């Protein structure tokens, strides 16, 4: 496989309208397949819209929901990342992203970090995920899924890369804000996101795929600007801001090997060091060990 | 300072990317209308910069034929305001109507409110005029089949220079997060006539009234103060370090705190298991809520 075609479905989901969004997903999967895509990525809560509040429970799906299974069935010979409200067996609601491949739900990532500050109120309505795993995929390389805010925590891209991900996929519903004229691309949110995604791609020597929605929920406008970034940190493709569209981008998986041979950052990573130091920090924070960084501790 | 200073003073920290702003606002306007099941919009056009800017933005987003501008002068309103409003209507090519609110306002104060009404303060009269205009707009909203678009800016909302259920009543507001200086910057970018951008902002409640004389501040200064205080969370000490006068900071803080109630939905006494706005929380528009 010399190249993989990635289709970024930069859509504007209809808030709370699961049926309409499902139909749109099926249409776009079909279009992406016609255009030769091997991987189709939809944004965070693309099946439900973002600002759900009490609607969350009304649009939630169990993993055996026929609507979700039907969407998986539409992925024979294809990989797709879709996002929805997942209801667990014990009735917790998660913001989930699922990797669908060859007719099956291959992996489900539950959003780990739920922003509940500023304009965000996710923790009020959702439970946070508890695990982070990279998964092998039919594409021939490991895939790591993350949802929006997950990428504002350094641990997420790092753990995914250490666990074998060679392509980090972040699906987002990022609200655009800060129009200060001094921003590099006219939008503060986009400037910050681009900075951190290029950094992650370079430091994990992995492809970073970002699919962000467009459209409006209540006061909030989502800015799009979906991207694919090479393992060198160089952007390969940047979708326009605020425009809906299905954007196809070809990547060469050989770029991962080339970058990792030339810049063996992952080889040199020290997970055992992190584990040891994090173990110490957790003990100290819990008051189970003296704070070794407290200058008074020596007195 | 940017190029716009040829027409007005635009503090550096308030300058926005007007291309992105137009993009976001156009999408916001279309989104609000679509989610509500409407295709048309109606607004009160005063001849001032705020409503002129919104008229241009609406026309840009949904086309001028879907916009109705209602001119609602009172008998003491400045004739120049009407001329400016008519220039906007002509330039945009939208529908317009003239509704003289004098009989409504005078009828109330002279007849209905009796002697106390005839002695009503300018504040009472101004507030009643704002609410008369609101009533007209909501009536025309029904007959024109268009949503009422708000035209208040962030500066006046923060300091409370608005009439609750009057000029702040609307279905949605595209410019409510823009300071007056930013309204001016965006107005120039979308082609609002320069004469309107240049003239002193006024509530036009009596001849010669201007916001800046009445409030005792200049908009560039007030906008900068609010920006650093509200958006950038600076303390009083930090604001003084930025060169703001301590007395002005205290006065503006008082205005902002005192107007909190105008920016929020009125509280409902919590009695039942689920209460709107408290623990019954739904988006304003959702499947099944469309007018269509």
């Amino acid at each position: 496989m010399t190249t993989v075609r990635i289709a970024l479905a930069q859509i504007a989901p209809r808030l709370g309208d699961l049926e309409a969004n499902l139909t749109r997903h099926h249409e776009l999967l079909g279009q992406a397949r016609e255009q030769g895509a091997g991987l189709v990525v939809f944004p965070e809560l693309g099946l439900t819209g973002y600002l759900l509040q009490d609607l969350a429970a009304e649009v939630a799906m169990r993993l055996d929901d026929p609507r979700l299974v039907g969407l998986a069935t539409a992925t024979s010979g294809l990989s797709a990342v879709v996002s929805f409200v997942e209801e667990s067996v014990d009735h917790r609601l998660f913001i989930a992203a699922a990797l669908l491949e060859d007719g099956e739900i291959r992996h489900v990532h539950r959003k780990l970090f739920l922003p509940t500050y500023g304009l965000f109120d996710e923790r009020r309505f959702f439970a946070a995920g508890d695990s982070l795993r990279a998964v092998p995929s039919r594409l021939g390389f490991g895939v790591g899924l993350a949802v929006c805010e997950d990428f504002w925590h350094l641990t997420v891209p790092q753990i995914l890369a250490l666990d074998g991900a060679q392509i980090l996929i972040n699906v987002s519903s990022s609200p655009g804000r800060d129009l200060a004229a001094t921003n590099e691309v006219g939008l503060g949110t986009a400037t910050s996101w681009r900075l951190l995604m290029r950094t992650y791609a370079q430091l994990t020597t992995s492809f970073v795929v970002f699919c962000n929605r467009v459209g409006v929920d209540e006061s909030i406008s989502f800015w799009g600007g979906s991207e694919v970034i090479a393992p060198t940190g160089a952007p390969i493709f940047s979708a326009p801001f605020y425009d809906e569209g299905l954007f196809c981008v070809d990547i060469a998986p050989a770029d991962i090997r080339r970058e990792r041979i030339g810049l063996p950052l992952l080889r040199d990573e020290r997970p055992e060091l992190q584990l040891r130091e994090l173990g110490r920090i957790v003990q100290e924070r819990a008051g189970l060990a003296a704070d070794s960084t407290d200058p008074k501790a020596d007195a | 300072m940017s190029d716009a200073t040829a027409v007005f003073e635009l503090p550096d920290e308030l300058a926005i990317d007007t291309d992105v702003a137009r993009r976001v606002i156009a999408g916001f306007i279309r989104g609000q209308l679509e989610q509500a099941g409407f295709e048309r919009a109606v607004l009160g056009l005063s001849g001032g910069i705020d409503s002129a800017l919104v008229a241009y933005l609406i026309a840009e987003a949904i086309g001028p034929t879907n916009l109705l501008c209602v001119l609602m002068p009172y008998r003491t309103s400045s004739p120049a305001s009407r001329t400016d409003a008519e220039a906007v209507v002509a330039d945009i090519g939208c529908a317009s109507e003239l509704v003289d609110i004098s009989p409504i306002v005078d009828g109330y104060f002279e007849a209905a409110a009796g002697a106390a009404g005839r002695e009503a303060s300018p504040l009472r009269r101004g507030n009643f005029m704002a609410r008369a205009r609101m009533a007209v707009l909501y009536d025309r909203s029904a007959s024109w089949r268009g949503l009422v678009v708000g035209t208040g800016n962030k500066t006046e909302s923060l300091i409370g220079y608005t009439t609750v259920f009057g000029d702040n009543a609307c279905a949605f507001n595209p410019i409510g997060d823009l300071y007056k200086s930013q309204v001016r910057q965006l107005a120039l970018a979308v082609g609002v006539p320069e004469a309107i951008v240049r003239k002193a902002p006024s509530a036009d409640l009596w001849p010669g009234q201007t916001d800046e004389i009445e409030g005792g501040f200049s908009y560039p200064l007030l906008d900068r103060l609010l920006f650093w205080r509200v958006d950038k969370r600076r303390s009083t000490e930090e604001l003084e370090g930025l060169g703001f006068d301590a007395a002005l900071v205290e006065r503006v803080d008082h205005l902002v705190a005192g107007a909190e109630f105008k920016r929020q939905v009125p509280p409902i006494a919590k009695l039942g298991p689920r209460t709107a706005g408290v623990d019954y929380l739904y988006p304003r528009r959702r499947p099944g809520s469309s007018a269509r």
Side-chain angles (χ1 to χ4, degrees):
Chain A
M1 191 185 301
T2 52
T3 62
V4 173
R5 180 161 294 178
I6 300 173
L8 301 166
Q10 185 168 295
I11 57 172
R14 299 183 67 90
L15 185 59
D17 197 342
L18 190 54
E19 295 306 321
N21 295 322
L22 258 175
T23 304
R24 187 86 182 114
H25 276 57
H26 279 284
E27 286 168 5
L28 289 170
L29 275 178
Q31 283 179 31
R33 186 193 299 279
E34 280 169 23
Q35 292 173 33
L39 170 65
V40 193
V41 185
F42 292 89
E44 176 185 17
L45 294 177
L47 284 166
T48 63
Y50 176 75
L51 215 65
L52 293 161
Q53 301 181 291
D54 285 351
L55 280 175
E58 297 170 32
V59 298
M61 291 189 286
R62 295 268 296 269
L63 292 181
D64 59 359
D65 190 295
R67 293 167 296 188
L68 191 58
V69 172
L71 202 53
T73 308
T75 62
S76 79
L78 203 61
S79 302
V81 178
V82 300
S83 176
F84 52 96
V85 178
E86 181 207 346
E87 180 167 346
S88 62
V89 176
D90 59 351
H91 309 297
R92 288 179 294 160
L93 306 179
F94 297 93
I95 297 174
L99 176 65
L100 313 178
E101 286 194 328
D102 284 333
E104 291 179 359
I105 299 172
R106 184 65 44 92
H107 174 64
V108 176
H109 170 77
R110 294 170 168 174
K111 189 174 188 176
L112 298 166
F113 294 95
L114 302 174
T116 306
Y117 57 80
L119 76 168
F120 303 107
D121 201 15
E122 293 182 15
R123 198 70 174 86
R124 178 184 171 91
F125 301 98
F126 295 104
D130 287 308
S131 71
L132 182 59
R133 302 266 191 285
V135 285
S137 100
R138 58 172 281 284
L139 297 165
F141 44 75
V143 169
L145 298 186
V147 179
C148 205
E149 185 85 356
D150 289 345
F151 253 32
W152 286 78
H153 295 266
L154 280 167
T155 42
V156 172
Q158 187 180 31
I159 288 174
L160 288 173
L162 287 171
D163 200 29
Q166 300 185 45
I167 177 167
L168 309 177
I169 301 174
N170 181 289
V171 299
S172 282
S173 285
S174 168
R177 52 211 187 276
D178 180 11
L179 268 49
T182 47
N183 289 318
E184 205 176 323
V185 288
L187 187 63
T189 322
T191 308
S192 319
W193 267 101
R194 289 181 169 193
L195 178 66
L196 67 86
M197 290 192 296
R198 283 153 180 65
T199 306
Y200 291 164
Q202 175 68 101
L203 294 183
T204 62
T205 48
S206 303
F207 280 102
V208 168
V209 173
F210 173 64
C211 184
N212 185 32
R213 65 163 288 187
V214 291
V216 181
D217 282 356
E218 309 283 287
S219 296
I220 296 172
S221 298
F222 302 90
W223 57 280
S226 300
E227 289 205 315
V228 175
I229 300 151
T232 57
I236 298 173
F237 172 79
S238 302
F241 291 173
Y242 300 107
D243 280 336
E244 197 164 1
L246 183 71
F247 304 100
C248 287
V249 190
D250 291 338
I251 64 164
D255 289 347
I256 303 167
R257 179 174 191 275
R258 189 174 9 261
E259 189 66 14
R260 289 186 177 188
I261 295 291
L263 187 67
L265 302 179
L266 279 176
R267 180 197 70 187
D268 296 347
E269 202 51 74
R270 300 280 305 277
E272 83 293 346
L273 172 77
Q274 286 198 42
L275 193 60
R276 193 165 62 237
E277 297 302 336
L278 287 174
R280 172 183 62 76
I281 291 166
V282 169
Q283 290 282 308
E284 289 175 6
R285 279 190 169 194
L288 300 171
D291 184 350
S292 58
T293 61
D294 181 355
K296 282 178 293 194
D298 292 335
Chain B
M1 301 290 164
S2 76
D3 298 343
T5 49
V7 180
F8 65 93
E9 185 188 343
L10 176 63
D12 282 339
E13 63 268 55
L14 293 173
I16 56 169
D17 187 313
T18 53
D19 290 341
V20 177
R22 287 166 81 170
R23 206 59 214 289
V24 173
I25 291 172
F28 171 80
I29 291 166
R30 286 191 293 265
Q32 295 300 316
L33 290 171
E34 189 194 322
Q35 285 160 26
F38 283 80
E39 286 169 1
R40 299 166 115 184
V42 55
L43 62 83
L45 192 69
S46 67
I49 187 170
D50 297 323
S51 57
L53 170 60
V54 174
Y56 278 82
L57 291 169
I58 295 281
E60 193 165 85
I62 60 172
T65 55
N66 287 316
L67 171 64
L68 171 64
C69 286
V70 188
L71 284 60
M72 295 171 284
Y74 179 67
R75 57 185 166 75
T76 59
S77 298
S78 151
S81 298
R82 184 167 156 188
T83 311
D84 286 337
E86 283 166 349
V88 167
V89 168
D91 189 36
I92 290 176
C94 62
S96 76
E97 273 177 23
L98 184 73
V99 177
D100 180 358
I101 62 164
S102 308
I104 304 171
V105 175
D106 293 347
Y108 169 71
F109 282 111
E110 284 166 22
R118 282 189 292 276
E119 291 158 16
S121 64
L123 179 70
R124 277 180 62 196
R125 289 182 166 274
N127 281 335
F128 193 85
M129 286 178 216
R131 294 190 184 107
R133 292 185 174 111
M134 177 276 294
V136 170
L137 284 176
Y138 272 85
D139 178 59
R140 294 300 285 120
S141 169
S143 55
W144 173 255
R145 299 186 59 75
L147 289 183
V148 176
V149 186
T151 62
N153 64 62
K154 186 170 185 170
T155 310
E156 65 185 21
S157 169
L158 282 173
I159 64 169
Y161 199 57
T162 60
T163 297
V164 68
F165 306 121
D167 56 311
N168 80 347
C170 61
F172 64 87
N173 181 339
I175 64 162
D177 203 18
L178 293 177
Y179 289 108
K180 192 74 173 187
S181 304
Q182 297 168 327
V183 164
R184 288 167 166 160
Q185 190 197 356
L186 190 57
L188 271 191
V190 302
V192 172
E194 213 177 286
I196 295 178
V197 179
R198 269 181 198 280
K199 71 179 177 181
S202 168
D204 200 11
L205 298 175
W206 56 84
Q209 181 193 26
T210 73
D211 297 0
E212 287 167 310
I213 291 170
E214 198 182 9
F217 52 75
S218 85
Y219 269 116
L221 177 66
L222 179 60
D223 287 351
R224 285 189 62 236
L225 172 52
L226 289 169
F227 173 78
W228 287 109
R229 180 57 130 186
V230 176
D231 293 86
K232 296 297 180 183
R233 303 171 193 257
R234 292 298 194 273
S235 69
T236 303
E237 293 70 31
E238 289 168 329
L239 289 172
E240 286 177 45
L242 285 167
F244 291 103
D245 174 60
L248 179 67
V249 173
E250 191 185 338
R251 190 173 145 233
V252 170
D253 276 354
H254 182 68
L255 288 173
V256 171
E260 220 60 77
F261 76 96
K262 293 189 180 182
R263 291 185 287 272
Q264 297 179 22
V265 175
I268 296 171
K270 173 75 182 159
L271 300 172
R274 281 183 93 192
T275 310
V278 180
D279 45 18
Y280 175 87
L281 300 172
Y282 279 92
R284 290 168 61 91
R285 308 289 182 184
R286 55 185 169 114
S289 71
S290 169
R292 274 200 292 255

